[in-house]
Amino acid sequence: MLLCLLLIIGPCSLLAGEGHASAQVMRVAVVKEISGTVNVLKSGGAKSFKAFRNMSLNEGDQIATGKDGEVTLSLSSSAADQDEISISTGSQVTFSKMKDSGGAKTKMSVWAGSLWVKVKSVSNASDQFEVETPTSIMGVRGTHFFVKVNPITGKTEVFLAAGVVESTTTKDRHATGDNSDMPNSVTIYPSQQLGEADGDEGLETSVSVVDLSTFVSQASPDLVKAILKDAASIAAEQKQMLDKAKESIGSEPNKDNFGGQIQSPEDLERMVNNLNNLVSIIAKEAIDQKKVAQDVIDQINKESGKKLIDSSTKSELILSEKEKKQQELAAKFEEAQKKAADKKAQEQQQLQQAIQDAIKKAQELRDQQEQANKEALKKQQDQANQTYYNQLTAEEKKRIDENRVSAGLPSIPTKDNTSSGSGSVVSKPTVSLLNNGRSANGVLEGYIDLGLAFKGFTGSNKIMGYQLEVEYDNTKAQFGNSDFDMDPLYYRAGAAGFIVEPESAGTVPGANSVDDYRVVQGTGNTSTLFYSVVKFNGSSVEINGETTLVRLPFLVSAQSYIAGSITFKIKSITAVDENGNPVEVVKGSDITLQVIPRIV
């Protein structure tokens, strides 16, 4: 019973007390009609999805229409009547705000496309309806208006059929034509259009009576239909404004006399003519431009029970001399903006083409590099196979040749490549342990480096590559460093003469070499590491003084927390010249380490 009582009292207590600071009025937008591609990105979401009929949109949601997409939304709340928004193709609209304390507030951000907005719910001072564009914020009251935003330039256009729209900006505002200063807040009235665009010295603004032929040509058929369907409510709101204007003829400029436009009976007569014929002239232009069919107008008139729209009208908007000049300036402004948009679109297209060309070229270079790397690696492997083959006994060579023939591979030629015959080696390559300052006879279990140091490769003994073959007990050592989330040979690039570009490293500046490593499981607990490097660019490398070309990481451990030893057996170290001939081959040396456990 207590639960039932709370459920009854709870909602009532939230709705009670209209002026309470904690009470909030929430609007919700609902998809009323939809066609073509329309996607919604929910507030906080990362992936958009297709909109559907009767879908609800809340604060922070974004709706976008494709080239074939159009959608009509209804906005309503418990404290406001229903508003309606028709969004045309190629539009992007975000519902920035849909709630406020004490009243209904809606703020829409339009960054691209066009829409027709019918707002009839702004009935008191606490209610607000705003449309934000790249140039300004449109504050509206009881209004029927059209908004269009160029996604390339950000140019904003507004056409008002009924009501009042106030365009407010924080930028410096200048009038088109004479570049005179304008206030940051500009009010437009029925039959007027507003054009705004960022200029060199601030916001360029044009206010004039709308050119209906141009307007209809730029509006989509669905938006034109939406305007015509609202003919009755447009006429009703216009009549209210005209009645107030009649009472305020000759008074100081204010919203009731259209900002001072109605100063005489002649002004009022011209305004009555223009507003009474506004929708009919739009209908005539729409039929002439094949935007709508006559049966659409007939159906609207039938449903209203009277001839709201006369698509055969001969009437035209009557303009004063001042209004004619403003309209001419607006046409010039529109033409200049169109040229600017075309130029910017062309620049963007050229930029996109340049990016695509760069990507294509980079892909070609990468393919060439990969091919060069594959060829260099194959050459290196062939050289290693040749070197290994030359070290075998005649019986072993015969067995390998038979296996290759069975596999359809050519025989390995018999050569004596243990020496190039091009000169003597000053000193043989050696392997030394780099243990971060610890004694080589007392290595704490963990991460160590085996450094491959070369010395004495000068003159005719310069080298293009090398290979290491080392055997070890895999129960006591592991190649690589699992304590770090990185390639085990992360420090192999940058050695003197051989700047390696690992496959997973992206681009290494100045890279001239590639490498390869493999760990092969042997008999028992033994594993053999094969590590090789070969240059694919530049000349042979000369190494005089002792130089460490690579440091190979291993993890070593003591078994059962008992100190022990581990031996790395150097099965072979081979250095080759630019023709692939071995300059020097070292075999059979060992490194034995005493391993100290971390816990004793």
Side-chain angles (χ1 to χ4, degrees):
M1 290 178 64
L2 178 60
L3 178 60
C4 292
L5 185 62
L6 289 174
L7 289 173
I8 295 171
I9 294 176
C12 296
S13 62
L14 291 176
L15 295 175
E18 187 174 345
H20 197 280
S22 63
Q24 286 197 328
V25 178
M26 173 70 78
R27 271 195 175 109
V28 61
V30 178
V31 176
K32 185 177 178 182
E33 297 177 8
I34 188 171
S35 64
T37 304
V38 180
N39 291 319
V40 170
L41 180 65
K42 299 298 288 184
S43 176
K47 186 176 181 180
S48 62
F49 54 91
K50 290 183 179 180
F52 51 88
R53 192 178 177 86
N54 295 326
M55 176 183 181
S56 296
L57 301 176
N58 301 302
E59 187 172 285
D61 292 352
Q62 180 186 103
I63 189 164
T65 58
K67 293 181 180 180
D68 63 338
E70 294 184 306
V71 62
T72 299
L73 308 175
S74 63
L75 280 78
S76 61
S77 73
S78 59
D81 295 328
Q82 190 177 79
D83 304 328
E84 195 166 281
I85 303 166
S86 298
I87 303 176
S88 187
T89 59
S91 301
Q92 181 179 317
V93 179
T94 300
F95 292 95
S96 310
K97 193 172 187 65
M98 296 185 73
K99 64 176 179 293
D100 199 15
S101 58
K105 179 169 184 177
T106 300
K107 184 176 182 180
M108 301 163 50
S109 299
V110 184
W111 306 121
S114 53
L115 56 152
W116 170 254
V117 183
K118 179 176 69 174
V119 183
K120 57 181 180 179
S121 58
V122 183
S123 54
N124 58 70
S126 62
D127 292 344
Q128 298 179 52
F129 195 107
E130 295 178 344
V131 177
E132 180 183 15
T133 73
T135 57
S136 63
I137 294 177
M138 312 293 170
V140 303
R141 276 190 179 280
T143 308
H144 297 73
F145 69 106
F146 169 87
V147 178
K148 181 179 180 181
V149 176
N150 188 309
I152 298 176
T153 63
K155 175 179 178 284
T156 299
E157 300 173 61
V158 178
F159 158 60
L160 191 60
V164 178
V165 166
E166 187 173 11
S167 170
T168 305
T169 182
T170 57
K171 304 174 184 178
D172 292 334
R173 180 175 250 150
H174 307 284
T176 58
D178 59 8
N179 203 35
S180 59
D181 292 339
M182 294 181 69
N184 293 97
S185 182
V186 174
T187 305
I188 60 174
Y189 297 93
S191 78
Q192 287 187 332
Q193 63 181 4
L194 169 77
E196 298 178 327
D198 286 319
D200 296 334
E201 299 179 1
L203 193 64
E204 293 185 39
T205 302
S206 166
V207 178
S208 67
V209 174
V210 64
D211 182 336
L212 290 176
S213 177
T214 301
F215 167 73
V216 172
S217 70
Q218 295 178 350
S220 72
D222 276 8
L223 284 193
V224 173
K225 290 178 185 177
I227 295 172
L228 299 178
K229 287 179 180 178
D230 290 338
S233 57
I234 290 173
E237 191 169 1
Q238 289 173 344
K239 185 178 183 305
Q240 291 178 1
M241 293 189 68
L242 290 171
D243 289 344
K244 290 182 179 180
K246 185 176 181 179
E247 296 172 0
S248 59
I249 292 177
S251 63
E252 290 294 322
N254 58 68
K255 292 182 180 180
D256 286 342
N257 64 13
F258 291 76
Q261 296 182 63
I262 311 298
Q263 293 296 314
S264 67
E266 290 76 18
D267 292 337
L268 179 62
E269 184 180 356
R270 185 177 69 255
M271 187 64 71
V272 169
N273 172 83
N274 289 349
L275 297 191
N276 287 345
N277 292 299
L278 186 68
V279 176
S280 291
I281 297 173
I282 291 175
K284 181 179 182 300
E285 288 289 344
I287 291 176
D288 291 345
Q289 298 182 30
K290 295 181 170 47
K291 289 292 181 82
V292 297
Q294 180 62 47
D295 59 358
V296 173
I297 287 96
D298 293 341
Q299 182 63 32
I300 294 172
N301 288 332
K302 181 179 179 181
E303 290 176 355
S304 67
K306 58 183 178 178
K307 194 171 185 178
L308 274 174
I309 305 172
D310 180 8
S311 58
S312 62
T313 180
K314 303 296 182 181
S315 301
E316 296 180 351
L317 298 183
I318 302 173
L319 307 183
S320 65
E321 291 302 317
K322 180 180 179 181
E323 289 171 338
K324 289 177 182 179
K325 183 175 289 188
Q326 289 174 337
Q327 201 173 72
E328 290 175 0
L329 290 174
K332 291 180 180 179
F333 175 65
E334 173 66 25
E335 183 62 27
Q337 288 299 312
K338 184 178 183 302
K339 290 180 179 179
D342 291 343
K343 182 180 178 181
K344 197 165 185 178
Q346 186 178 13
E347 290 173 350
Q348 288 185 355
Q349 186 177 5
Q350 292 173 347
L351 177 61
Q352 289 295 325
Q353 186 61 49
I355 293 173
Q356 291 175 7
D357 291 344
I359 292 173
K360 182 179 179 181
K361 186 174 181 180
Q363 180 67 43
E364 291 173 351
L365 290 174
R366 190 182 76 174
D367 292 344
Q368 293 173 5
Q369 188 67 64
E370 288 180 352
Q371 184 61 32
N373 292 347
K374 289 178 181 178
E375 291 175 357
L377 183 59
K378 184 178 183 304
K379 182 179 179 181
Q380 178 185 356
Q381 291 172 340
D382 291 343
Q383 292 169 354
N385 290 338
Q386 183 71 63
T387 301
Y388 174 73
Y389 183 81
N390 292 342
Q391 298 168 5
L392 299 177
T393 64
E395 183 178 348
E396 290 172 332
K397 291 178 180 178
K398 181 180 178 182
R399 185 168 62 251
I400 287 179
D401 289 340
E402 291 174 350
N403 291 338
R404 289 179 66 86
V405 171
S406 299
L409 299 173
S411 300
I412 298 177
T414 303
K415 296 180 181 179
D416 183 9
N417 288 332
T418 57
S419 175
S420 65
S422 58
S424 60
V425 179
V426 176
S427 63
K428 293 183 177 181
T430 59
V431 178
S432 58
L433 176 68
L434 306 178
N435 60 3
N436 300 323
R438 295 189 290 269
S439 168
N441 294 323
V443 177
L444 192 68
E445 69 168 343
Y447 177 45
I448 66 166
D449 290 332
L450 286 183
L452 187 60
F454 278 55
K455 179 181 179 182
F457 291 87
T458 61
S460 60
N461 287 334
K462 294 185 293 184
I463 62 173
M464 285 290 285
Y466 57 88
Q467 175 176 283
L468 170 70
E469 185 181 3
V470 58
E471 184 180 86
Y472 54 92
D473 187 339
N474 55 35
T475 64
K476 298 181 180 179
Q478 177 185 351
F479 176 62
N481 179 16
S482 61
D483 290 340
F484 296 89
D485 183 17
M486 57 181 65
D487 190 295
L489 303 179
Y490 66 98
Y491 36 62
R492 57 193 168 183
F498 295 91
I499 304 178
V500 178
E501 184 172 73
E503 182 179 352
S504 60
T507 300
V508 176
N512 61 15
S513 307
V514 292
D515 66 356
D516 181 59
Y517 64 89
R518 289 171 292 164
V519 176
V520 179
Q521 176 71 42
T523 59
N525 295 327
T526 65
S527 289
T528 300
L529 167 67
F530 292 88
Y531 178 73
S532 55
V533 176
V534 66
K535 290 189 68 178
F536 61 79
N537 191 23
S539 57
S540 303
V541 176
E542 184 174 77
I543 304 172
N544 191 3
E546 186 172 81
T547 303
T548 300
L549 296 189
V550 70
R551 293 178 294 147
L552 305 172
F554 284 88
L555 281 171
V556 299
S557 61
Q559 291 183 327
S560 304
Y561 304 104
I562 300 174
S565 64
I566 181 171
T567 299
F568 294 90
K569 182 177 181 180
I570 309 304
K571 299 179 71 174
S572 70
I573 304 172
T574 304
V576 298
D577 62 17
E578 60 185 5
N579 296 318
N581 298 318
V583 174
E584 184 60 45
V585 178
V586 176
K587 299 177 65 176
S589 59
D590 296 341
I591 294 178
T592 300
L593 306 177
Q594 298 298 320
V595 183
I596 303 171
R598 291 183 183 274
I599 301 175
V600 296

